[in-house]
Structures are given as structure tokens and as C-alpha cells.
Amino acid sequence: MNNASALLQVQGLTFSHPGRPVFLDWSACVGAGATLVCGGESSGKTTLLRLLAAELPPNAGSLRLGQVVLADAPQAYRRQVFWADPRSPAMDALIVRAWLQGLPAQYSEWNAPALATHLDGFDLHPHLDKGFYMLSTGTRRKVLMAAALASGAPLTLIDEPVAGLDRASIRYLCQALADTAQAPDRALVVAHYEALDGVPWRAVIELPELD
């Protein structure tokens, strides 16, 4: 991909967990549309999303999103990213409806009609007044993905999207990803062990399994 057409540019990314290297001088360009990050259980998919979200600091390397370099303007970079870790307990005490109502203030391109569509498509209305701690694994993921797709964020990161989802929800998810991937100014980066049917993947990033 031509660097000029990339929304996200990663150069020389290096990161290690204590005593365990994950990325060494890793570079990539991510354009608009849907990009699949695939690999086995220990390949670093979630770690990569956390690095791209600026949730984890790299040991070395640079990230540029649009015209914003993370090291130069970390807050401006993070304002362009949607990332919500489905495994994190940080939101457990929050009420789903209240959390969703607070998101438009964080994302300048928030799409309220899109959120309404995704709430319907994922059948989430019965869960809006529950705390996140009350949600099943699949329902929690559906709430986070509805918000991600509605956020309008230039870089939207989604981790293991089908965990706990029923077949109807997976079908809706694939259609929603395909529709959102048509936006010319959004990069959807989805981490999963294989491609999802019906999603027009612009690129596939394969991560080798770590030793």
C-alpha cells in the first residue's frame, strides 16, 4: 500500500512482555476499509490492538494516524481511536445506557442513527439498563461493537468479535462490518483467528505464533 493512502502508519514497532518479545521492528500501513489481524492464541493480536490504541506504550517505534503522530500529540491521537477491551473489568460498574450516552462527547463523528440500527440488529434493547457486570460474554461484546461501529472513529479496533455470539448476531455483525467498511475515512482493524464471511477485507495481517 502506498504510504500516502494509509490512514495508519506503523514504523519499527517493538514491544516485549517481561522476558518475552512480541514485536521487533514491525511496520505496517493500514488504509480505509476492513483489515483482519489473524493468528493463533499466542500470536499477539490483542497486544497489537492495545498498542495501536495507545493503551500500551511500545518499547520503540512510531505510530501516525492521519496527520497525528502519537509521540507528538498523544491526546489528539487517542481521540481518533475507538478501543474497548471486552475482557477488561474497568466498565463493570457502569450502566450500558449511561455509557452509550456519554460517547458522543468523545467522538466528533458519532452516528446516532447507526447506533440505533446496531442496537436493533444485535437485539440489545433489553440490556440497556443493566450494568456491564450483568452481561454475558456475547452481549458485552455486542454492546462494545455497536458503539465501535457507531463511533465514526478513524481507527476502530475490534478484538475477537464473535466470542459468545449466536448465529443471528454473527450474521448481523458481518453485514454491519461490510457496510461500515465502505466509509472512505475509517480503518476497521479486527483481530480474529480467521476471516469472517461476507466482510470485504482490504488487507490481512498474519501474525506468527510466538515461541
Side-chain angles (χ1 to χ4, degrees):
M1 178 187 298
N2 189 318
N3 284 3
S5 66
L7 294 180
L8 173 69
Q9 297 182 43
V10 184
Q11 295 291 330
L13 184 68
T14 297
F15 178 80
S16 296
H17 292 301
R20 188 178 190 187
V22 183
F23 296 100
L24 178 62
D25 197 26
W26 188 86
S27 300
C29 293
V30 179
T35 294
L36 174 67
V37 176
C38 63
E41 281 296 320
S42 300
S43 59
K45 299 188 300 297
T46 300
T47 297
L48 178 59
L49 295 193
R50 295 180 67 196
L51 287 163
L52 298 183
E55 184 178 82
L56 286 177
N59 302 127
S62 66
L63 286 82
R64 176 189 291 271
L65 181 53
Q67 300 302 312
V68 179
V69 176
L70 172 60
D72 297 339
Q75 291 184 346
Y77 179 97
R78 291 188 179 97
R79 283 196 295 269
Q80 297 186 76
V81 180
F82 185 97
W83 163 246
D85 188 343
R87 301 174 184 85
S88 172
M91 295 191 300
D92 282 356
L94 301 178
I95 301 300
V96 172
R97 188 187 303 275
W99 179 71
L100 291 171
Q101 289 174 342
L103 293 179
Q106 300 179 39
Y107 298 99
S108 60
E109 299 301 319
W110 179 264
N111 189 330
L115 177 64
T117 297
H118 299 320
L119 293 179
D120 288 339
F122 283 128
D123 192 24
L124 288 171
H125 290 283
H127 305 286
L128 294 179
D129 293 309
K130 296 178 181 179
F132 273 91
Y133 75 94
M134 301 171 65
L135 304 180
S136 68
T137 296
T139 300
R140 187 185 188 100
R141 273 181 159 78
K142 288 190 286 186
V143 170
L144 299 183
M145 290 189 293
L149 295 170
S151 70
L155 178 59
T156 300
L157 306 170
I158 298 175
D159 192 23
E160 297 296 353
V162 305
L165 267 63
D166 56 82
R167 290 184 180 180
S169 295
I170 293 173
R171 286 195 299 270
Y172 178 77
L173 168 65
C174 292
Q175 184 59 57
L177 286 172
D179 291 344
T180 307
Q182 303 307 311
D185 55 354
R186 294 188 70 182
L188 307 179
V189 179
V190 180
H192 193 43
Y193 60 88
E194 63 182 2
L196 299 173
D197 292 339
V199 179
W201 301 107
R202 177 190 179 103
V204 176
I205 297 173
E206 296 190 23
L207 301 180
E209 190 160 346
L210 299 175
D211 296 332

